[in-house]
């Protein structure tokens, strides 16, 4: 990741930009606005010129760049994501979420596994479920979330931070910092500080190489699927408790044994997020910006309708409304089958939500939300083992059933194996078929 490599990548982008403009007869600014307008129109419940698409091929099989590049070779990773955008020409491009693998290793991260680190280079990122907050620690968290994070949470998530458990309660340090300096000068704290500094240097170097990959794709004419670094509200606070603190088992038990503590934790998390959120910047390109909100445990396989109404939906609704109030399009990703639970989205302002759903929900969701919110329908994950003709037939059927009158964006999950021409032909065929 040398300065020369970064300059070379920038020079490649300038050359590609000129080639695009020569080939299309349009500036990349015009191409960007055409794609952004298509997405903006369909989200605002206007009928665009055609159905918009985003794509998610297997990066490794499509470009030959291993998945580990997203952690250890940011320039190669950016080239891979750029290749996907240039060849498949999505209306909304994904720059990925790369992370510095060397920093994760230095910190001894416990809740993640990543390719090129604990996993082989060809594997995908994996989250590690854990009870990172114990059942009897709700009061500690609710009384002082910052103290809990520093003295309990970080030492469990990062092996290098184990010494932090020796710190006294941070809220009691009114008599001066100097009293704990001998502890901070001990060998274990010095070792921790050195490893944190190592992680910091690795992160700084990685960020310098990755730059603003989303803006670089935008400069080539491709709008971002979701705009990072914005609202900061996030998704349902229940998911934060369930995935980041108590774990799935713990949060499910808590709905029965300590429901009020669970609800109080959800409220604290949401209120702190709202208090520190940043409004959308109308001066930057791509308005209104889409704020992604990943969701995990609100579907019917995890909780009953009554539990959804009590523990999940109130926090998610407040998060989405706060996101909208900040000037964003709320972009919730409903994992698995939600069915009639999607009716709650009618409680939010028209044209301000882009509902990301699995294809199994598409027809029912179109019937529920028609004329009120746009659907972002994800082709099934099983399409990785489908033939190209099967993917094309399935997608055309979705367009026939859900595309009438607009209100539909399709996220293409593509076969894991195929030639570049097969991928390009598929997308070209679907773009033509999706015209209004």
């Amino acid at each position: 990741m040398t300065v020369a490599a970064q300059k070379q990548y920038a020079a490649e982008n300038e050359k590609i930009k000129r080639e695009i403009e020569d080939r299309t007869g349009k500036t990349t600014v015009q191409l960007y606005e055409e794609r952004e307008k298509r997405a903006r129109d369909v989200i605002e419940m206007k009928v665009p010129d055609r159905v918009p698409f985003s794509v998610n091929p297997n990066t490794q099989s499509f470009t030959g760049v291993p998945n580990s590049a997203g952690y250890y070779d940011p320039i190669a990773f950016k080239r891979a994501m750029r290749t996907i955008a240039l060849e498949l020409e999505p209306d909304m491009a994904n720059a990925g979420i790369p992370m510095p693998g060397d920093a994760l290793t230095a910190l001894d991260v416990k809740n993640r596994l990543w390719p090129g680190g604990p996993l082989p280079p060809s594997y995908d990122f994996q989250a590690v479920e854990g009870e990172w907050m114990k059942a009897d620690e709700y009061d500690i968290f609710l009384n002082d979330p910052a103290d809990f994070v520093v003295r309990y949470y970080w030492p469990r998530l990062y092996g290098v931070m184990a010494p932090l458990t020796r710190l006294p309660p941070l809220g009691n340090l009114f008599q001066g910092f100097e009293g704990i300096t001998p502890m901070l000068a001990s060998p274990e704290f010095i070792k921790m500080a050195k490893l944190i500094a190592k992680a910091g240097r690795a992160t700084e170097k990685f960020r310098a190489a990755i730059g603003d990959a989303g803006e670089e794709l935008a400069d080539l004419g491709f709008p971002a699927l979701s705009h990072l670094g914005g609202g900061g509200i996030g998704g349902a606070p229940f998911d934060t408790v369930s995935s980041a603190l108590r774990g799935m088992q713990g949060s499910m038990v808590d709905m029965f044994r300590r429901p009020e503590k669970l609800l109080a934790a959800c409220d604290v998390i949401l209120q702190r997020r709202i208090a520190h959120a940043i409004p959308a910047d109308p001066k930057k390109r791509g308005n209104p910006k889409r704020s992604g909100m990943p969701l995990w445990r609100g579907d019917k396989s995890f909780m009953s309708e009554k539990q959804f109404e009590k523990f999940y939906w109130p926090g998610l609704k407040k998060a989405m409304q706060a996101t909208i109030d900040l000037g964003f399009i709320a972009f919730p990703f409903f994992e698995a089958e939600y069915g009639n639970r999607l009716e709650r989205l009618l409680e939010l302002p028209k044209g301000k939500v882009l509902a990301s759903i699995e294809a199994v929900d598409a027809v029912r969701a179109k019937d529920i939300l028609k004329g009120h919110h746009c659907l972002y329908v994800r082709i099934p994950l099983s399409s990785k083992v489908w033939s190209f003709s099967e993917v094309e037939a399935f997608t055309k059927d979705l367009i026939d059933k859900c595309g009438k009158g607009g209100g539909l964006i399709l996220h293409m999950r593509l076969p894991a194996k195929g030639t570049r021409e097969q991928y390009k032909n598929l997308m070209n065929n679907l773009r033509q078929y999706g015209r209004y």
Side-chain angles (χ1 to χ4, degrees):
M1 295 188 293
T2 63
V3 173
Q6 296 166 31
K7 289 182 177 179
Q8 181 182 349
Y9 181 82
E12 291 169 5
N13 272 5
E14 287 302 314
K15 181 182 178 182
I16 291 169
K17 184 176 179 179
R18 292 192 298 269
E19 291 172 347
I20 291 172
E21 294 179 342
D22 290 343
R23 175 173 53 83
T24 64
K26 300 177 182 180
T27 67
T28 54
V29 173
Q30 290 173 313
L31 292 170
Y32 177 95
E33 183 52 34
E34 284 181 7
R35 294 180 176 119
E36 184 64 43
K37 182 179 185 302
R38 185 173 294 124
R40 183 168 59 244
D41 282 351
V42 74
I43 292 170
E44 294 175 354
M45 305 314 298
K46 301 172 185 176
V47 180
D49 59 336
R50 64 166 172 79
V51 174
F53 292 89
S54 64
V55 294
N56 184 30
N58 183 294
T59 307
Q60 186 164 293
S61 62
F62 189 82
T63 66
V65 175
N67 293 335
S68 57
Y71 299 83
Y72 296 98
D73 193 346
I75 298 296
F77 178 76
K78 290 205 296 184
R79 283 197 178 99
M81 302 308 288
R82 182 180 66 188
T83 296
I84 290 170
L86 292 172
E87 298 207 11
L88 301 184
E89 298 186 294
D91 296 293
M92 297 181 290
N94 180 9
I97 309 177
M99 291 180 277
D102 288 333
L104 299 179
T105 298
L107 294 172
D108 190 15
V109 173
K110 304 295 186 183
N111 66 339
R112 284 162 281 175
L113 302 175
W114 61 96
L119 299 176
S122 61
Y123 278 43
D124 290 323
F125 168 90
Q126 296 178 20
V128 177
E129 183 84 11
E131 193 178 26
W132 309 112
M133 182 175 83
K134 307 303 180 184
D136 61 355
E137 292 172 350
Y138 267 104
D139 287 339
I140 299 172
F141 171 80
L142 293 170
N143 181 60
D144 191 342
D147 181 73
F148 172 81
V149 166
V150 172
R151 297 197 304 123
Y152 294 82
Y153 189 63
W154 282 350
R156 291 169 183 161
L157 256 63
Y158 305 98
V160 70
M161 294 187 179
L164 294 179
T165 59
R166 292 178 53 198
L167 290 173
L170 301 183
N172 293 342
L173 296 177
F174 297 111
Q175 301 304 315
F177 179 72
E178 64 275 6
I180 65 170
T181 53
M183 180 192 304
L184 302 181
S186 67
E188 59 179 338
F189 270 89
I190 291 174
K191 180 181 178 180
M192 179 185 76
K194 289 180 177 179
L195 287 169
I196 291 174
K198 181 179 179 180
R201 290 190 295 270
T203 300
E204 188 175 40
K205 183 179 179 181
F206 190 90
R207 286 179 177 174
I210 205 70
D212 190 340
E215 180 60 25
E216 288 169 346
L217 287 178
D219 200 42
L220 296 177
F222 299 99
L225 171 63
S226 178
H227 300 83
L228 301 176
I233 302 297
F238 180 93
D239 281 334
T240 301
V241 176
S242 183
S243 62
L245 294 174
R246 292 286 291 127
M248 184 178 72
Q249 178 176 322
S251 61
M252 298 297 150
V253 169
D254 292 344
M255 287 194 289
F256 296 94
R257 294 183 178 175
R258 48 193 71 85
E260 298 310 315
K261 299 286 187 184
L262 173 57
L263 288 170
C266 289
D267 188 60
V268 166
I269 290 167
L270 181 58
Q271 293 308 316
R272 292 175 75 86
R273 285 178 175 172
I274 292 174
H276 296 96
I278 302 171
D281 186 348
K283 296 180 181 179
K284 292 185 178 181
R285 67 167 124 201
N287 287 299
K289 294 174 175 61
R290 298 170 286 276
S291 181
M293 308 171 80
L295 308 173
W296 292 286
R297 290 175 179 150
D299 66 88
K300 56 188 180 182
S301 63
F302 282 110
M303 58 176 63
S304 69
E305 189 73 15
K306 185 177 180 180
Q307 290 168 334
F308 179 83
E309 192 64 36
K310 180 176 182 178
F311 295 101
Y312 202 88
W313 174 243
L316 177 57
K317 181 183 177 181
K318 289 178 184 177
M320 286 197 286
Q321 186 61 62
T323 297
I324 293 167
D325 292 342
L326 287 166
F328 293 89
I329 296 295
F331 192 6
F333 286 71
F334 295 97
E335 304 288 351
E337 184 177 356
Y338 264 73
N340 291 344
R341 292 181 184 184
L342 295 171
E343 291 178 354
R344 270 68 165 206
L345 295 178
L346 295 172
E347 300 172 23
L348 293 157
K350 178 181 177 180
K352 297 297 183 180
V353 175
L354 177 57
S356 176
I357 60 172
E358 295 291 353
V360 67
D361 270 330
V363 174
R364 177 69 179 128
K366 181 71 174 184
D367 181 57
I368 292 171
L369 303 175
K370 183 178 180 181
H372 198 82
H373 293 310
C374 179
L375 300 178
Y376 178 85
V377 180
R378 304 187 296 269
I379 303 301
L381 280 169
S382 57
S383 62
K384 290 183 178 182
V385 296
W386 294 0
S387 68
F388 281 84
S389 59
E390 287 173 325
V391 173
E392 183 171 342
F394 183 91
T395 307
K396 286 181 176 179
D397 184 60
L398 269 179
I399 293 172
D400 291 340
K401 292 178 178 177
C402 305
K404 186 177 181 181
L408 176 67
I409 299 174
L410 288 173
H411 178 60
M412 300 302 300
R413 289 162 168 163
L414 302 173
K417 295 181 180 180
T419 66
R420 295 281 182 88
E421 285 305 310
Q422 284 178 304
Y423 287 108
K424 292 166 70 173
N425 288 339
L426 172 63
M427 293 307 301
N428 286 335
N429 291 344
L430 292 175
R431 274 190 286 268
Q432 289 301 317
Y433 192 84
R435 292 197 172 276
Y436 289 103

